[in-house]
Amino acid sequence: MTIKNKTGRVAEVIKQRGKVARLALANGAIVEVAASHKVKPGDWVVEGELSRELVSK
């Protein structure tokens, strides 16, 4: 099953290498995003990009 929605809460960090992170979202989607900081579960991805605004809340 392929999930095309690239927006959601990070459920799991599969792998983070340098500035790229492979993440599993709460909706079941697996996405790769550019990461400017260490990603952790609970962070948000919006339209395939790590959200800086929602990270701090």
Side-chain angles (χ1 to χ4, degrees), residues 22-38:
R22 185 170 178 89
L23 311 169
L25 302 182
N27 65 6
I30 304 293
V31 296
E32 284 190 6
V33 298
S36 59
H37 65 279
K38 183 170 173 59

Side-chain angles (χ1 to χ4, degrees), residues 34-52:
S36 59
H37 65 279
K38 183 170 173 59
V39 184
K40 58 186 182 291
D43 289 352
W44 284 84
V45 174
V46 178
E47 295 181 5
E49 296 183 8
L50 195 59
S51 173
R52 295 290 297 160

